[in-house]
Amino acid sequence: MCGIVAAIAQRDVTPILLEGLKRLEYRGYDSAGVAVVDNGALQLARAVGKVAALQDTLNNTAVRGALGIAHTRWATHGEVSERNAHPHVSSQRVAVVHNGIIENYATIREMLVAEGYVFVSETDSETIAHLIDFELRRCPSLLAAVQAAVAQFKGAYGLAVMALDTPDELVVARSGSPLVLGLGIGENFVASDVAALVPVTQRVVFLQEGDVAQLSRETWQVFDAQGEAVERVVHEASQSDVADRGGYRHYMLKEIFEQPRALADTLQERISHDALLPQSLGPAAEKLLATAENVHIVACGTSYHAGMVARYWIETLAGVPVNVELASEYRYRDVVVPSNTLFVTLSQSGETADTLAALHFAKSAGYLATLTICNSAQSSMVRESDLAMMTRAGPEIGVASTKAFTTQLISLLLIAGMLGKLRGRLTSAREAELVSHLSKAPGLVEDALKMDKAIQALSEDFADKQHALFLGRGTQFPIAMEGALKLKEISYIHAEAYAAGELKHGPLALIDEDMPTIVVAPNNDLLDKLKSNLEVVRARGGQLYVFADADTGIRSEPAIRVTAVPHMDDLIAPVVYTIPLQLLAYHVAILKGTDVDQPRNLAKSVTVE
Ligand code: G6P
């Protein structure tokens, strides 16, 4: 998704802006641009494609300056083109970069056209540049013009603005799209993600909703939505805000292999040797969880799949009815909220527009409380929820989510157990058993990662395939969905997942030797049913690839290739069976030569609707 970097310094800021943009590349984008003000001139460079292409463009120009704004764009309004790339400029004097969507841009654009403004792009963002220029004609300062402009916007924005006539001033604004200030010595910076600032400063300020900030080289001041000057806390960005590939070929592979550590970190202080510790969620948590009679889980993408697994766990362990829904659907229907319902959002980034909108709705919809399970401590969802449980995956850079998913799963199993405990459904013996399974998860995942070589060999069978079918039952059905999502995201092979019992209701028609069927088969109560489903596929000439517990008795034979998964309790199996599916998608993508960490058309953090 779009990224912003801006700087006001006493040196040329273009290298800082480019380095910042490179650090935001993982978010996904299709074009990039930079504008600087220097020596009475506003200069602009934009390029379609990667930041490297922008760098090439800059190498051939004299775009240099001590005040600058830069952007990576992920197209929403208007095609991918240089003309639509940011920064957008008005009257050769105001330049703007924008993340988000201005929903009422058409009305504002009409007014500005009537005022004589000529639009050169198809973007909503160009409207912002012209409106600020328009306001600047009647406002005493750039700050006042930005404040007057943002008051007219409906939608979401993170903005950085500069003007030719005010070379000592950078103005930024945030509403629904994150922005962070970076404080230097005699220089200040802004970015949409702290990762872009780490090379220049560790001292950061997270802007809050509705904030507008004015930065000079020596000073910074934040104003709230009412225009009042406000104090904002200065944080120290930690090393964990920075990420590198650490010797791995791709971030995704590194993140897959980090899962044992991430799971162990996520469990820390939330379990003792034989008990769950719900108080670790904060002072209000125990009472709220004990009162919950229903749970609504809302999320997008991979996080939604984690929510689907949680439904099985929470209903089993806590006996509480659970509804799991895609945020983009939930936010636009008439939701009935039964009394004492806990509202849960799941999100790696904590900034996904649909999930955040659902949370905003939920806050006034009569829920008992809102809980977010999130991987980003400074995110909007964490700030705006009553309770937060942090997944401690660390920065996840690969667009395809891996460690964020398994740490969400382990967090949800913790929550399911805590609900069961506080609602008196889980005996102490069962609680101790659950804790023992939880604490084995990092080791089991470590063992599952040893399947890497075997899966690499397996992946060769998939490289020339156009389609794949994933099957699972019970908690493994959402895991099959996640496996299919991973494969399509990074290898571009069309993949679908079905609950194995649904096979006979349609997908069976697709089975032939060109449609590999991948099956997740732990040794559980549903095994016999699953085995019958496999026979049905085999009888139709299908090729089966089964990840099976050695105790299942499923053996490799013609048309069935079995890869053994270590034995484990069924409760923890969704976490562990995810690993081979992640590795399979990774190795197939390598064979296909796709861009593993930044797959085409996708973004890491989707902050627009
Ligand atoms: C994007 C990412 C997915 C992610 C989804 C939800 O589509 O590419 O990996 O699952 O957003 O993101 P969230 O940050 O809310 O978990």
Side-chain angles (χ1 to χ4, degrees):
M1 193 100 317
C2 305
I4 288 177
V5 189
I8 181 161
Q10 298 173 40
R11 51 178 165 155
D12 174 26
V13 294
T14 50
I16 298 169
L17 299 178
L18 284 176
E19 177 60 28
L21 290 186
K22 279 187 196 148
R23 284 168 183 261
L24 299 181
E25 282 193 301
Y26 75 91
R27 293 164 66 92
Y29 67 102
D30 45 53
S31 50
V34 55
V36 292
V37 165
D38 205 37
N39 286 333
L42 196 160
Q43 296 172 306
L44 184 66
R46 299 183 294 197
V48 166
K50 299 281 174 188
V51 174
L54 175 65
Q55 181 136 37
D56 288 346
T57 309
L58 279 172
N59 290 344
N60 299 322
T61 65
V63 175
R64 309 278 180 272
L67 169 63
I69 58 178
H71 192 259
T72 44
R73 172 176 188 250
W74 189 72
T76 57
H77 292 71
E79 57 176 12
V80 177
S81 66
E82 193 190 323
R83 194 163 51 85
N84 286 336
H86 300 215
H88 290 287
V89 174
S90 181
S91 307
Q92 292 305 315
R93 64 166 187 164
V94 172
V96 169
V97 287
H98 167 224
N99 285 359
I101 287 178
I102 302 299
E103 288 176 354
N104 60 339
Y105 81 100
T107 325
I108 299 176
R109 185 175 168 135
E110 224 170 85
M111 180 279 284
L112 290 165
V113 168
E115 289 290 333
Y117 283 93
V118 176
F119 282 74
V120 293
S121 81
E122 302 144 287
T123 64
D124 53 334
S125 309
E126 189 184 357
T127 315
I128 302 172
H130 292 315
L131 186 64
I132 292 171
D133 181 74
F134 177 69
E135 293 296 343
L136 202 51
R137 291 190 205 160
R138 50 189 190 185
C139 289
S141 66
L142 182 62
L143 173 68
V146 171
Q147 285 170 319
V150 297
Q152 298 169 55
F153 296 144
K154 287 201 183 91
Y157 54 82
L159 296 180
V161 188
M162 60 181 193
L164 185 60
D165 305 336
T166 51
D168 301 320
E169 184 182 9
L170 176 64
V171 178
V172 300
R174 118 158 231 176
S175 180
S177 189
L179 272 188
V180 51
L181 313 184
L183 311 178
I185 298 167
E187 53 187 14
N188 286 314
F189 311 92
V190 180
S192 50
D193 182 327
V194 72
L197 297 176
V198 171
V200 279
T201 182
Q202 257 88 59
R203 295 178 64 232
V204 297
V205 176
F206 295 93
L207 292 187
Q208 296 184 13
E209 283 300 277
D211 280 355
V212 177
Q214 183 184 39
L215 298 95
S216 71
R217 290 175 180 81
E218 302 289 347
T219 63
W220 59 281
Q221 176 65 60
V222 181
F223 302 87
D224 65 12
Q226 285 69 45
E228 299 294 326
V230 282
E231 299 287 318
R232 295 283 178 246
V233 183
V234 178
H235 294 269
E236 268 312 295
S238 67
Q239 257 324 98
S240 67
D241 292 316
V242 200
D244 64 52
R245 275 188 278 126
Y248 285 88
R249 184 167 167 196
H250 292 100
Y251 281 110
M252 182 181 178
L253 191 62
K254 174 177 175 247
E255 288 157 5
I256 290 173
F257 276 85
E258 278 174 348
Q259 288 175 105
R261 193 273 311 145
L263 291 167
D265 286 356
T266 303
L267 287 169
Q268 254 182 31
E269 292 139 24
R270 291 168 175 157
I271 50 174
S272 67
H273 75 285
D274 63 354
L276 300 159
L277 305 175
Q279 57 274 38
S280 61
L281 290 184
E286 283 185 276
K287 187 153 175 266
L288 286 173
L289 294 187
T291 316
E293 287 168 8
N294 293 278
V295 176
H296 284 182
I297 300 178
V298 174
C300 301
T302 287
S303 298
Y304 170 68
H305 295 154
M308 286 182 72
V309 178
R311 172 165 49 194
Y312 294 87
W313 281 335
I314 296 174
E315 295 199 345
T316 300
L317 294 171
V320 172
V322 180
N323 185 51
V324 188
E325 197 163 353
L326 290 165
S328 52
E329 288 297 312
Y330 173 91
R331 63 182 289 195
Y332 290 118
R333 72 178 180 87
D334 298 324
V335 181
V336 176
V337 183
S339 63
N340 289 329
T341 302
L342 178 67
F343 179 83
V344 182
T345 51
L346 304 176
S347 180
Q348 188 287 126
S349 61
E351 301 292 350
T352 303
D354 285 324
T355 314
L356 196 55
L359 172 61
H360 289 158
F361 162 80
K363 285 171 80 173
S364 54
Y367 281 96
L368 168 68
T370 55
L371 161 70
T372 189
I373 296 178
C374 187
N375 196 40
S376 172
Q378 304 296 341
S379 65
S380 304
M381 279 181 224
V382 170
R383 270 201 313 274
E384 297 182 28
S385 300
D386 301 319
L387 300 174
M389 182 178 211
M390 300 314 304
T391 48
R392 299 175 184 145
E396 189 180 68
I397 306 298
V399 164
S401 186
T402 52
K403 60 179 181 169
F405 177 65
T406 48
T407 53
Q408 281 173 344
L409 287 178
I410 211 85
S411 305
L412 286 160
L413 187 49
L414 278 165
I415 295 283
M418 288 173 183
L419 277 165
K421 172 179 174 144
L422 294 166
R423 293 185 50 76
R425 169 132 169 159
L426 210 60
T427 61
S428 313
R430 189 97 170 86
E431 181 183 352
E433 221 177 275
L434 171 60
V435 169
S436 149
H437 295 318
L438 282 163
S439 48
K440 284 184 193 138
L444 287 164
V445 167
E446 189 87 64
D447 290 345
L449 287 166
K450 296 185 187 136
M451 299 162 74
D452 188 39
K453 280 275 162 295
I455 293 171
Q456 188 174 4
L458 199 68
S459 64
E460 286 169 19
D461 285 15
F462 290 81
D464 63 342
K465 295 288 185 291
Q466 305 293 319
H467 309 276
L469 190 64
F470 285 70
L471 299 179
R473 298 193 76 129
T475 50
Q476 296 294 337
F477 167 42
I479 298 307
M481 292 176 78
E482 176 59 10
L485 177 64
K486 287 290 88 87
L487 190 68
K488 68 185 135 195
E489 275 181 309
I490 61 166
S491 76
Y492 313 152
I493 291 176
H494 166 231
E496 278 195 75
Y498 271 88
E502 271 294 294
L503 204 53
K504 53 191 175 290
H505 297 298
L508 207 49
L510 300 171
I511 297 296
D512 62 17
E513 66 279 10
D514 287 327
M515 169 74 106
T517 302
I518 297 117
V519 187
V520 268
N523 189 3
N524 63 19
D525 296 351
L526 294 166
L527 180 63
D528 287 340
K529 305 263 175 224
L530 187 68
K531 281 182 175 172
S532 317
N533 303 138
L534 303 195
E535 284 311 318
V536 168
V537 174
R538 201 150 73 114
R540 270 108 190 134
Q543 301 291 313
L544 286 154
Y545 295 85
V546 188
F547 294 103
D549 190 312
D551 298 352
T552 55
I554 306 174
R555 303 268 171 267
S556 285
E557 49 188 290
I560 303 192
R561 199 157 158 185
V562 178
T563 309
V565 181
H567 177 70
M568 74 207 71
D569 186 89
D570 198 45
L571 258 187
I572 212 74
V575 180
V576 185
Y577 278 75
T578 300
I579 308 300
L581 303 188
Q582 294 171 343
L583 289 169
L584 180 66
Y586 177 77
H587 288 298
V588 175
I590 293 294
L591 291 176
K592 296 204 68 177
T594 55
D595 189 343
V596 171
D597 284 332
Q598 293 169 42
R600 68 184 181 200
N601 305 338
L602 300 181
K604 181 72 187 158
S605 177
V606 183
T607 49
V608 293
E609 193 176 347

